């Protein structure tokens, strides 16, 4: 099925004096004469592209492998995932050199390859020189980690903190854990000022949202608006900040990569990274290809999208290799601020996003509780369902009956709600500036057992200025819900 020229094939038949039938039966090809090589104990190495459409692997390398192994020969295959006929070889030839050394009497010279296919999974783009300059000259560093549960819990983040302290032993670091389980880029953009910048400017930011943005069902548009909101907000807060976007693995992403596709959420986040020239690491692709190279398995070693200690260490090792590449030179690092930012990818992105807490909205008289709503100063569930830190024992605007109404005045170009979506969560209706009434579902697939933090934008493309939103508990609700409750922890306001 190779796409070789039909004219070349006819020239070949003519040169050898063969018909089509004779060519099919001819046994003069090397693939038909492997026995002497196998008998002599000669090892064979094939390096090829798994999607080669010029010399298809199924018709060439795999045929040789199967026949050679059947003859008792030694055969090593390095099949580069998603690689066509070019480029040949490996970017890092360690595995090829190892093959030669192992079979020519120099096993002690064998080095350990960094990755199975000789290339790494990060893009440095602008590099990490600005934060390095701060670490080395000021001897201080503020490093923030923003993301979901993979960041919030112990694991890769702790390893990276220790690695930074090892690389810069004279530097006094402050590490900020801004991970909150279940949350992706949209809530990250709105809580950025509170959770990342509260202690002052940050020198290095790690951001991960590819798992939650995908599994939470956010659209392509929303994924760009959320991630651009974080990156642009970070650069506006400190033009000398360095940023690393991390794309963590989950089973869906592994399947997409194996089908030859880049997951949409990674494409969307990479679009932002490229636009602003910030670094990124595609850990989902790395995990996929290393599993397919036989290094480990998802089920036994990685175990879950919340990685085992093995998985967390793999993530941290990949970050360490990014540091190696970024800081390999010994010269004076650059300290230039980012030039003027490019125009936003999407003007509606959430780079001016802020949180307006329920209690603050009431105390500043921005929220008007018409009927059926009450401010609970320390809301907590009574149904035994799980909660998330920061979304329990906090002020909440609560309504439990259909028809309850609330109004909020705000200034900006976007408005949303940050709620806890639990077993009895209802359906929210809203109207902006006297327009038509619309509905916003708040019940999620996880709501039956968890009061999940859930951030939803109601409108993102309003004219900049003053607006009024009316909220109402709908008479209908999701069939899985046990009630009609709406519990607002924060309002999401984008704009100045």
């Amino acid at each position: 099925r190779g796409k070789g020229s039909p004219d070349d094939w006819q020239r070949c038949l003519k040169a050898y004096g063969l018909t089509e039938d004779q060519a099919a039966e001819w046994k003069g090809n090397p693939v038909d004469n492997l026995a002497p090589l196998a008998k002599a104990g000669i090892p064979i190495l094939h390096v090829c592209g798994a999607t080669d459409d010029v010399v298809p692997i199924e018709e060439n390398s795999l045929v040789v492998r199967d026949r050679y192994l059947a003859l008792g020969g030694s055969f090593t295959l390095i099949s580069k995932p998603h690689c066509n006929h070019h480029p040949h070889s490996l970017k890092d030839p360690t595995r090829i050199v190892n093959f030669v050394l192992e079979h020519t009497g120099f096993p002690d010279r064998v080095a350990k390859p960094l990755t199975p296919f000789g290339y790494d999974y990060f893009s440095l783009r602008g590099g990490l020189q600005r934060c390095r300059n701060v670490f080395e000259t000021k001897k201080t560093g503020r490093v923030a980690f923003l993301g979901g549960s993979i960041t919030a819990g112990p694991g890769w983040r702790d390893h990276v903190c220790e690695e930074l302290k090892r690389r810069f032993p004279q530097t006094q670091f402050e590490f900020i854990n801004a991970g909150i389980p279940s949350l992706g880029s949209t809530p990250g953009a709105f809580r950025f000022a509170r959770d990342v910048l509260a202690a002052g400017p940050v020198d290095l930011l790690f951001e991960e949202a590819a798992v939650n943005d995908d599994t939470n069902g956010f659209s392509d548009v929303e994924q760009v608006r959320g991630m651009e909101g974080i990156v642009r907000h970070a650069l506006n807060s400190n033009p000398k900040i360095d940023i690393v976007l991390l794309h963590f693995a989950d089973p869906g992403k592994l399947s997409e990569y194996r089908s030859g596709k880049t997951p949409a959420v990674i494409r969307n986040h990479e679009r932002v990274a490229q636009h602003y020239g910030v670094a990124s690491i595609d850990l989902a692709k790395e995990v996929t290809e290393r599993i397919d190279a036989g290094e480990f398995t998802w089920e036994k070693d990685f175990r879950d999208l919340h990685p085992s200690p093995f998985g967390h260490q793999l993530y941290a090792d990949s970050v360490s290799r990014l540091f190696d590449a970024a800081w390999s030179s010994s010269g004076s690092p650059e300290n230039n601020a980012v030039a003027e930012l490019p125009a936003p990818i999407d003007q509606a992105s959430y780079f001016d996003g802020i949180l307006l807490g329920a209690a603050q909205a009431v105390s500043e008289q921005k929220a008007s509780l018409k009927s059926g709503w009450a401010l609970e100063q320390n809301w907590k569930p009574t149904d035994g369902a799980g909660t998330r830190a920061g979304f329990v024992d906090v002020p909440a605007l609560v309504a439990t009956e259909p028809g309850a109404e609330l109004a909020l005045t705000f200034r900006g170009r976007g408005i949303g709600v940050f709620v806890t979506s639990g077993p009895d969560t209802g359906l929210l209706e809203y109207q902006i500036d006297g327009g038509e009434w619309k509905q916003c579902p708040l019940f999620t697939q996880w709501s039956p057992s968890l009061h999940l933090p859930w951030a939803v934008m109601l409108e993102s493309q309003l004219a900049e200025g003053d607006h009024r939103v009316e909220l109402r508990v709908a008479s209908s609700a999701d069939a899985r819900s046990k009630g009609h409750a709406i519990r607002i922890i924060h309002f999401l306001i984008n704009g100045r």
Side-chain angles (χ1 to χ4, degrees):
R1 62 177 179 80
K3 61 179 184 180
S5 165
D7 292 340
D8 286 346
W9 176 237
Q10 294 305 315
R11 289 172 56 209
C12 177
L13 293 177
K14 183 178 179 181
Y16 284 86
L18 298 172
T19 66
E20 288 277 358
D21 291 339
Q22 290 172 328
E25 297 298 323
W26 192 56
K27 299 302 180 183
N29 281 311
V31 70
D32 301 307
N33 295 278
L34 297 171
L37 292 176
K39 185 177 180 181
I42 297 175
I44 295 177
L45 169 69
H46 270 213
V47 182
C48 51
T51 58
D52 193 328
D53 59 8
V54 177
V55 186
I57 185 174
E58 298 88 349
E59 299 174 359
N60 296 277
S61 293
L62 297 188
V63 175
V64 177
R65 180 195 64 182
D66 294 345
R67 293 186 183 183
Y68 207 59
L69 292 176
L71 291 166
S74 170
F75 188 95
T76 299
L77 175 68
I78 300 177
S79 173
K80 296 176 287 185
H82 325 304
C83 180
N84 204 319
H85 191 66
H86 293 284
H88 293 327
S89 191
L90 301 175
K91 185 176 181 181
D92 173 0
T94 300
R95 293 182 71 191
I96 300 171
V97 175
N98 283 353
F99 177 86
V100 176
L101 294 175
E102 288 168 1
H103 294 94
T104 52
F106 299 98
D108 57 320
R109 300 190 185 183
V110 175
K112 181 181 179 181
L114 296 177
T115 61
F117 301 103
Y119 52 80
D120 223 312
Y121 300 87
F122 55 75
S123 297
L124 272 175
R125 300 188 178 93
L128 304 178
Q129 297 305 317
R130 293 185 295 272
C131 68
R132 176 188 172 192
N133 180 277
V134 173
F135 300 160
E136 291 183 348
T137 60
K138 295 185 177 181
K139 306 300 183 184
T140 62
R142 184 175 288 125
V143 181
F145 299 83
L146 178 64
S149 54
I150 305 174
T151 292
W156 74 272
R157 173 178 50 80
D158 298 318
H159 295 313
V160 170
C161 293
E162 291 304 312
E163 180 68 9
L164 286 169
K165 289 190 287 186
R166 183 188 70 80
R167 289 175 182 263
F168 302 96
Q170 305 302 317
T171 300
Q172 182 66 43
F173 282 103
E174 177 186 354
F175 296 113
I176 300 171
N177 179 6
I180 296 180
S182 306
L183 300 187
S185 65
T186 290
F190 285 92
R191 65 187 184 89
F192 190 82
R194 184 196 69 178
D195 295 346
V196 176
L197 300 180
V202 169
D203 304 304
L204 176 59
L205 170 68
F206 291 91
E207 156 61 23
E208 61 90 4
V211 171
N212 284 337
D213 271 11
D214 185 16
T215 57
N216 288 354
F218 282 85
S219 68
D220 290 349
V221 171
E222 192 73 6
Q223 290 169 9
V224 170
R225 287 176 177 172
M227 188 56 70
E228 182 173 36
I230 292 169
V231 170
R232 195 175 183 92
H233 195 158
L235 290 168
N236 278 328
S237 71
N238 178 15
K240 294 185 178 182
I241 193 174
D242 279 319
I243 302 170
V244 181
L245 304 189
L246 305 171
H247 314 315
F248 288 155
D250 58 55
K253 292 179 179 58
L254 270 63
S255 296
E256 288 189 79
Y257 270 126
R258 286 172 177 151
S259 68
K261 302 175 182 177
T262 299
V265 67
I266 294 180
R267 291 200 310 272
N268 293 330
H269 290 178
E270 280 293 287
R271 183 183 176 194
V272 175
Q274 291 166 7
H275 188 72
Y276 290 96
V278 302
S280 63
I281 312 178
D282 191 345
L283 294 149
K285 186 175 183 181
E286 177 177 353
V287 169
T288 303
E289 294 190 354
R290 300 187 85 151
I291 287 174
D292 293 348
E295 288 192 347
F296 53 88
T297 69
W298 180 266
E299 295 77 13
K300 293 182 179 179
D301 300 301
F302 226 78
R303 300 181 189 170
D304 193 359
L305 58 85
H306 298 104
S308 65
F310 171 88
H312 276 289
Q313 187 64 62
L314 184 145
Y315 285 167
D317 289 346
S318 192
V319 174
S320 182
R321 294 196 303 274
L322 173 104
F323 289 160
D324 286 341
W327 299 328
S328 58
S329 64
S330 58
S332 298
E334 298 176 3
N335 191 32
N336 298 325
V338 173
E340 184 177 352
L341 294 182
I345 298 172
D346 186 337
Q347 190 62 48
S349 291
Y350 309 133
F351 46 87
D352 289 323
I354 60 169
L355 296 176
L356 175 63
Q360 181 183 357
V362 172
S363 66
E364 295 180 357
Q365 299 184 340
K366 294 179 180 178
S368 173
L369 312 185
K370 292 186 175 182
S371 62
W373 287 85
L375 176 65
E376 295 188 17
Q377 291 291 347
N378 294 285
W379 175 80
K380 64 181 63 178
T382 58
D383 54 12
T387 60
R388 293 287 192 235
F391 292 83
V392 62
D393 295 319
V394 295
L397 283 167
V398 179
T400 58
E401 299 297 329
E405 294 187 6
L406 176 156
L408 178 80
T409 58
F410 66 97
R411 183 172 182 80
R413 59 182 180 275
I415 181 68
V417 291
F418 211 161
V419 304
T420 58
S421 177
D424 60 346
T425 293
L427 178 67
L428 182 66
E429 296 178 330
Y430 66 96
Q431 176 194 64
I432 297 180
D433 298 333
E436 64 175 309
W437 282 93
K438 300 179 182 180
Q439 291 187 333
C440 177
L442 295 176
F443 195 88
T444 76
Q445 59 179 311
W446 301 280
S447 297
S449 60
L450 173 67
H451 288 276
L452 184 79
W454 199 246
V456 182
M457 291 302 292
L458 304 178
E459 296 291 346
S460 300
Q461 295 179 287
L462 300 169
E464 191 78 63
D466 295 325
H467 301 278
R468 179 183 176 88
V469 59
E470 305 275 348
L471 303 178
R472 183 172 66 193
V473 179
S475 58
S476 59
D478 191 289
R480 298 167 292 176
S481 178
K482 298 178 180 179
H484 298 272
I486 306 291
R487 301 178 180 95
I488 299 173
I489 309 299
H490 304 284
F491 294 99
L492 309 176
I493 299 176
N494 189 42
R496 300 181 183 276

